[in-house]
Amino acid sequence: MLRPVAIVTALALGLAIVLTSANKVAPRWEVWASLALALTVASGSVFAYGVQRWKDLTALRSMRVRELLRPLGALLLLALLLLVLALVLSPSARAGWRGWGLSTIACVGALPATVTMLGILRSAEAPEGGPGTRVATLVAFRRLLRRLLGAVGSLVALATLALGASPAPLSSPGVVLIFGGTGSLLVALAYVPARAALREAATRLCDELLPIGDAHDAATVLSRAEERAKLEQVLEIDHNVMTDLQTGLVIVGPLLSSAAAAFLPGSTGAG
């Protein structure tokens, strides 16, 4: 029941924001309203999705949210500092409570998924079990992390699009660029350390199972190198972080869109 409740709650808040708009007759108001409602529905869905993925993570390794309060607090503090910096650099961003309201809904929606990413980071630092169990666990963590990246990144993309269609001055290219860049940076800061920890754990496991340094003949070296390459492929060690971000496009996309918008003529939206 969590998913429908979360979606209905977020949608109700979105409707309140949209229906109280004083610019319903402005050009492209329908575009902004549609994006705003889509963002709230997605936020509710991602919230429930993140909670379910947290359950998947704790099924693999027992963990409590309070163990992650320190890294989560650091990430939230950084988000607050970036918000203050955005307000200082772009005073026009202070206007319009609707834009900030939608952003808050998106942030709350992304919170469980972000906590799960931090949980993967903590779990990857010391995987438990024998070699086979550790391989299976690392593969499960990798798949889980990839799915979380797509879910949270979609919120950043939708929020950036909604902001770009919002009324001036919030729809100015500078504000969109700052917001898109900030959102993308925060998602990357949650994803990149977890991905790097998984890669390091996978490398240690390969060194433990298939060491090459103690091989003394060519046949052994070639055999172990071939087997290690296969294991590295299963664990996706060769996929670096930037490749993951570029392939997903959910983080890079908003950055590119915001940067492009900064060079396009500004226009007045509605909201």
Side-chain angles (χ1 to χ4, degrees):
M1 291 298 296
L2 178 60
R3 183 180 296 272
V5 170
I7 292 176
V8 170
T9 301
L11 180 59
L13 295 174
L15 284 172
I17 292 175
V18 169
L19 295 179
T20 56
S21 172
N23 298 278
K24 296 183 180 66
V25 296
R28 297 198 307 274
W29 179 86
E30 296 83 358
V31 176
W32 170 78
S34 299
L35 288 172
L37 294 179
L39 173 61
T40 57
V41 171
S43 298
S45 179
V46 171
F47 181 89
Y49 183 82
V51 172
Q52 185 59 52
R53 300 291 76 78
W54 170 258
K55 293 180 180 179
D56 293 342
L57 175 62
T58 54
L60 294 170
R61 179 178 178 182
S62 178
M63 183 180 302
R64 296 183 178 180
V65 175
R66 65 185 181 185
E67 299 178 36
L68 308 173
L69 291 181
R70 183 174 297 180
L72 180 61
L75 191 62
L76 293 176
L77 179 60
L78 177 60
L80 180 60
L81 293 176
L82 291 174
L83 171 61
V84 173
L85 180 62
L87 294 175
V88 172
L89 295 178
S90 181
S92 62
R94 302 170 191 171
W97 64 269
R98 292 177 181 84
W100 294 114
L102 291 173
S103 301
T104 301
I105 294 173
C107 289
V108 173
L111 188 59
T114 303
V115 171
T116 306
M117 286 187 182
L118 297 177
I120 292 175
L121 169 61
R122 184 176 181 86
S123 301
E125 293 173 350
E128 302 173 346
T133 301
R134 289 162 62 188
V135 169
T137 300
L138 289 176
V139 170
F141 283 165
R142 179 69 187 98
R143 292 174 179 172
L144 182 59
L145 186 62
R146 184 188 296 114
R147 291 155 66 187
L148 290 169
L149 174 64
V152 178
S154 66
L155 291 185
V156 177
L158 276 173
T160 304
L161 289 174
L163 182 65
S166 65
L170 285 180
S171 60
S172 64
V175 176
V176 175
L177 177 59
I178 292 174
F179 181 88
T182 300
S184 300
L185 175 62
L186 291 174
V187 174
L189 287 176
Y191 172 81
V192 171
R195 180 67 185 97
L198 288 178
R199 182 177 182 180
E200 182 178 352
T203 301
R204 291 198 304 267
L205 182 58
C206 288
D207 291 337
E208 177 183 333
L209 296 179
L210 297 166
I212 299 180
D214 59 353
H216 301 292
D217 59 275
T220 303
V221 170
L222 291 176
S223 176
R224 290 187 183 180
E226 183 178 358
E227 293 175 353
R228 178 173 180 131
K230 293 179 180 179
L231 182 57
E232 289 179 349
Q233 185 176 5
V234 170
L235 297 174
E236 299 187 11
I237 293 180
D238 292 335
H239 292 265
N240 59 49
V241 174
M242 290 307 300
T243 299
D244 292 338
L245 298 180
Q246 293 172 359
T247 301
L249 292 179
V250 291
I251 289 180
V252 179
L255 277 176
L256 296 178
S257 300
S258 300
F263 299 98
L264 296 177
S267 59
T268 302

